[in-house]
Amino acid sequence: MKMENVCILLTYPVPEYLVQELEKRFRVFKFRDVASNPQLIGEISSSIRAIVGTSAWGADARLIDELPKLEIVASYSVGFDKIDLVKCKERGITVTNTPDVLSDDVADFAIGLALATVRRICVCDRFVRGGKWKEGEFELTTKFSGKSVGIVGLGRIGSAIAKRAEAFGCTISYHSRSEKPESYYKYYPNIIDLAANCNILFVACALSKGTKHIVNRKVIDALGPKGIIVNIGRGALIDEPELVSALLEGRLAGAGLDVFEHEPKVPEELLGLENVVLQPHVASDTVETSIAMSDLVIKNLEAHFQNKPVLTPVL
Amino acid sequence: MVEDHLPQVLVLRPPKSFTFFETQFSKKFHFLKAWESQLPTTDFLATHAASVKAILCNSSTPITADILHHLPSLKLIVTTSVGLDHINLPECRGRSISVANAGQVFSEDCADLAVGLLIDVLRKISAADRFVRAGLWPISGDYPLGSKLGGKRVGIVGLGSIGLEVAKRLEAFGCIISYNSRREKANVSYRFYSNVCELGANSDALIICCALNDETHHMINKEVMKALGKEGVIVNIGRGAVIDEKELVQCLVEGEIGGAGLDVFENEPDLPKELFTLDNVVLSPHLAVFTSESFSDLFDLVTGNLEAFFSNKPLLSPLLDE
């Protein structure tokens, strides 16, 4: 069904496939083009009925206020921390995200990040490329298999991480808002106890008011100087300055980080460290999953504009 | 001297683990350290090693027929490697010299590295880490998309204890496992291909976990790589010479295969320099087994094998003649 007069605002660049699919069906305005043209903003703001956001930029209260006809925010992400849900609820705006389709990729990536951090794969690659192998051997690292794994947030992604880590003989425990009765992993109601009882801590929960800086100094201290943190959730789940100083001072053995508090800024001190692996927020970025996420965004929008129930509502 | 009462073990060149644990080792055995002598090896052996019964070596110390001829009393070779391609096995068999290797001590670490390399190549982890460290994220924006691991058909070349550990791990990621081995394995649910080219044609990634011998030398050749195809990935944690390295480099440079994760090379530590410029390649300096936990387990195993030998008990990790 063609909804070619429906105006959609793209708040942040998305993959070309999604842009093309959106343009086949709707009138698409890209924020970057619009923002520099005040006249255009004025013209279209009363026509915009949908926003497609991402993990980088969703829809804050200010933007929502400027769009009186906004009906739906369809996010190209599973996280929705950049969307003002309170405002959306007030205005009766539907919010959708892209859960499930990316869980496997994110979990694969989390394990890959952990292996890269523990076994120093990126450092080894630099060592070889830099011609250092001819001068001497690389140092020993620690073993990954059999390590105790702690997962913060045993949702779809956390569970997928657990399943993979088990295949490496890792023992799994977790911290969540509430215990999951169907899970046989050990539950810690207190995140500090989780950290004290694991060696590799995966941060896989959603970012909300209640989880901001959930990994703080106390948790880092409990994890200890042999501990590794892998963050594929949101940067603000970890107190970043505390993380940086722990890594610099050797109070933490290493970290694999796909997300940061102020992306795309990465704390400069980390850029020179060998015990970290730094990634530009790509845990779900595969060709296959990008298409699946895009298709889900399209399906949610189509359902909404056909007055059918959306597939993956947050609100 | 106390060490005169200790059993004598010859070491031509010190394995890394020997250097690591020398103090502990020296409490149990008297080591004859050939590398510390000014004499050429064979002269040293002729002078000092006539009664030596056991030798400790690693994979970079060839135990050739010539060396064996200079060790008339030799009855045991303990290698700290899993691989045996550096040992003249027919000569050993002929003289009933036992060989003990690292057994299964390294299987998990090797498998972990194989999986780590595969994920790194598919998901561009090392390349993206370079990108971030170069300060390019704020400038260039989004990084190119990688390739999903789940659902990929993974062909394991050599389903020994390392290959099995790789398979077990990748199954949890939703990979579909098949393999090529000298013989089909009973009690294994993975699909067997008797021909490695056929395995390549039916795989999205090949993980090389097999031993190096006459049959496997350059087994992964241009034909296999073409069968694997332009999106295909090769991971090698076995021995460099299982792959025709020149062909591999050419295929990578020309885009005939999609990428490679390599821990081993034909002429370590000399690598084809073309590899250093490729973004779809992850390089590792033959360290699949280099974790402190494995070294500790290896120390226990080597000590256990030597002690068993000197007290006429069965070896812990003997090479079983197949």
Side-chain angles (χ1 to χ4, degrees):
Chain A
M1 176 183 159
K2 293 237 173 199
M3 293 152 282
E4 64 260 27
N5 290 320
V6 172
C7 296
I8 306 252
L9 180 65
L10 259 182
T11 50
Y12 199 82
V14 292
E16 197 48 43
Y17 171 79
L18 178 54
V19 176
Q20 283 166 10
E21 292 301 306
L22 286 168
E23 286 178 343
K24 277 182 197 167
R25 295 160 172 81
F26 308 104
R27 278 191 75 193
V28 179
F29 296 91
K30 295 176 187 171
F31 187 82
R32 286 189 171 172
D33 299 335
V34 161
S36 50
N37 187 338
Q39 195 192 347
L40 187 53
I41 298 174
E43 280 171 16
I44 65 163
S45 57
S46 52
S47 313
I48 297 287
R49 290 170 66 188
I51 282 177
V52 170
T54 70
S55 56
W57 205 316
D60 59 13
R62 219 184 105 191
L63 179 62
I64 295 170
D65 277 338
E66 288 179 26
L67 305 173
K69 295 275 167 57
L70 184 63
E71 299 169 23
I72 176 170
V73 178
S75 194
Y76 177 83
S77 69
V78 66
F80 39 85
D81 44 285
K82 292 268 164 66
I83 301 172
D84 191 325
L85 293 182
V86 170
K87 192 88 200 179
C88 287
K89 194 157 186 192
E90 255 173 48
R91 287 263 305 265
I93 295 169
T94 301
V95 178
T96 66
N97 64 345
T98 58
D100 289 322
V101 294
L102 47 56
S103 305
D104 284 339
D105 266 353
V106 176
D108 293 350
F109 194 80
I111 299 291
L113 249 193
L115 284 164
T117 308
V118 171
R119 298 296 301 270
R120 305 222 158 175
I121 296 177
C122 309
V123 185
C124 287
D125 182 86
R126 277 200 290 280
F127 178 83
V128 175
R129 280 175 202 259
K132 297 240 171 67
W133 193 7
K134 294 200 195 184
E135 295 163 22
E137 281 179 335
F138 200 75
E139 68 217 340
L140 294 184
T141 63
T142 53
K143 186 171 177 147
F144 176 80
S145 275
K147 284 289 189 314
S148 55
V149 159
I151 302 181
V152 183
L154 199 70
R156 290 167 291 243
I157 293 173
S159 303
I161 292 174
K163 176 176 145 195
R164 286 151 177 75
E166 279 191 294
F168 290 81
C170 296
T171 52
I172 315 288
S173 47
Y174 71 102
H175 167 72
S176 232
R177 265 172 309 195
S178 54
E179 189 167 6
K180 315 264 170 181
E182 67 281 10
S183 163
Y184 54 80
Y185 306 133
K186 186 170 167 93
Y187 174 63
Y188 285 98
N190 185 319
I191 189 179
I192 294 181
D193 293 331
L194 176 72
N197 285 284
C198 74
N199 185 258
I200 305 179
L201 187 69
F202 287 92
V203 184
C205 58
L207 176 64
S208 64
K209 271 207 219 67
T211 58
K212 180 170 176 164
H213 287 191
I214 190 174
V215 177
N216 56 18
R217 170 73 188 245
K218 286 206 175 97
V219 173
I220 292 172
D221 284 346
L223 187 57
K226 294 206 171 131
I228 304 274
I229 292 181
V230 174
N231 190 1
I232 45 83
R234 285 290 180 266
L237 289 166
I238 302 182
D239 183 334
E240 201 160 89
E242 286 292 350
L243 174 68
V244 173
S245 55
L247 288 164
L248 289 171
E249 293 166 21
R251 291 183 282 108
L252 201 58
L257 308 169
D258 186 44
V259 285
F260 303 86
E261 288 212 65
H262 306 288
E263 295 170 18
K265 265 173 55 184
V266 171
E268 230 179 282
E269 302 94 318
L270 296 181
L271 299 179
L273 288 182
E274 290 209 334
N275 58 347
V276 297
V277 177
L278 307 168
Q279 298 289 291
H281 201 151
V282 286
S284 59
D285 285 5
T286 63
V287 169
E288 296 88 339
T289 291
S290 165
I291 291 173
M293 285 167 69
S294 301
D295 287 347
L296 187 49
V297 167
I298 298 287
K299 286 198 172 108
N300 275 312
L301 288 169
E302 285 182 329
H304 172 82
F305 289 109
Q306 290 165 11
N307 293 314
K308 293 184 188 143
V310 293
L311 280 72
T312 50
V314 171
L315 260 191
Chain B
M1 284 171 73
V2 173
E3 62 191 14
D4 288 344
H5 299 292
L6 298 174
Q8 203 182 54
V9 179
L10 172 65
V11 182
L12 297 176
R13 299 268 174 282
K16 196 176 171 90
S17 52
F18 177 83
T19 315
F20 238 74
F21 292 111
E22 190 170 346
T23 319
Q24 294 97 308
F25 270 129
S26 300
K27 290 188 181 140
K28 296 180 184 255
F29 310 102
H30 173 209
F31 289 98
L32 213 51
K33 300 176 192 173
W35 79 89
E36 285 183 347
S37 163
Q38 306 276 29
L39 295 173
T41 307
T42 42
D43 289 348
F44 177 88
L45 297 182
T47 315
H48 297 286
S51 57
V52 153
K53 293 191 184 136
I55 186 171
L56 173 66
C57 66
N58 66 1
S59 55
S60 42
T61 315
I63 308 296
T64 59
D66 188 40
I67 292 198
L68 290 169
H69 288 153
H70 284 82
L71 297 169
S73 308
L74 190 70
K75 279 286 155 213
L76 172 68
I77 300 172
V78 176
T79 177
T80 58
S81 59
V82 172
L84 300 160
D85 47 284
H86 56 295
I87 300 174
N88 189 323
L89 294 175
E91 191 73 25
C92 292
R93 277 188 212 106
R95 278 181 47 189
S96 296
I97 296 172
S98 300
V99 178
N101 70 348
Q104 314 227 347
V105 146
F106 294 144
S107 301
E108 290 182 327
D109 276 333
C110 286
D112 289 354
L113 188 73
V115 173
L117 286 173
L118 180 63
I119 301 178
D120 193 323
V121 175
L122 287 174
R123 301 299 306 270
K124 306 180 189 293
I125 296 181
S126 286
D129 181 82
R130 281 196 287 278
F131 173 81
V132 174
R133 278 173 204 266
L136 293 173
W137 192 8
I139 302 169
S140 303
D142 285 347
Y143 197 73
L145 298 174
S147 181
K148 189 181 169 96
L149 175 60
K152 287 276 190 302
R153 301 163 304 163
V154 174
I156 299 185
V157 181
L159 201 69
S161 74
I162 295 173
L164 280 167
E165 293 287 341
V166 173
K168 179 174 115 188
R169 282 153 179 72
L170 288 178
E171 275 192 297
F173 292 81
C175 293
I176 301 155
I177 312 289
S178 46
Y179 71 102
N180 166 257
S181 232
R182 266 172 306 192
R183 284 179 287 283
E184 190 165 1
K185 311 260 168 183
N187 305 322
V188 148
S189 56
Y190 312 129
R191 181 160 175 182
F192 172 70
Y193 286 93
S194 55
N195 177 311
V196 75
C197 214
E198 237 192 296
L199 180 71
N202 288 282
S203 299
D204 303 304
L206 288 178
I207 319 273
I208 316 300
C209 304
C210 62
L212 176 65
N213 51 45
D214 288 333
E215 287 128 8
T216 63
H217 184 265
H218 282 197
M219 181 168 72
I220 310 301
N221 54 20
K222 186 168 185 165
E223 206 195 333
V224 174
M225 289 187 249
K226 281 245 151 101
L228 183 62
K230 291 184 196 277
E231 307 281 313
V233 173
I234 296 183
V235 170
N236 191 0
I237 48 118
R239 283 289 179 271
V242 173
I243 301 181
D244 182 339
E245 197 165 271
K246 250 174 87 180
E247 274 307 331
L248 172 68
V249 171
Q250 196 165 0
C251 284
L252 284 164
V253 164
E254 292 173 3
E256 290 298 332
I257 61 165
L262 308 168
D263 185 48
V264 285
F265 306 85
E266 287 209 64
N267 200 19
E268 298 165 12
D270 280 317
L271 269 55
K273 55 183 178 336
E274 295 91 325
L275 293 175
F276 298 160
T277 59
L278 294 171
D279 239 16
N280 57 348
V281 158
V282 180
L283 307 168
S284 174
H286 199 158
L287 46 53
V289 309
F290 279 15
T291 67
S292 42
E293 288 89 340
S294 273
F295 265 44
S296 177
D297 291 345
L298 178 67
F299 169 78
D300 291 342
L301 183 63
V302 166
T303 309
N305 272 313
L306 288 169
E307 283 178 335
F309 172 75
F310 287 116
S311 40
N312 291 313
K313 294 200 180 112
L315 295 174
L316 302 180
S317 57
L319 162 67
L320 296 167
D321 248 332
E322 284 169 25

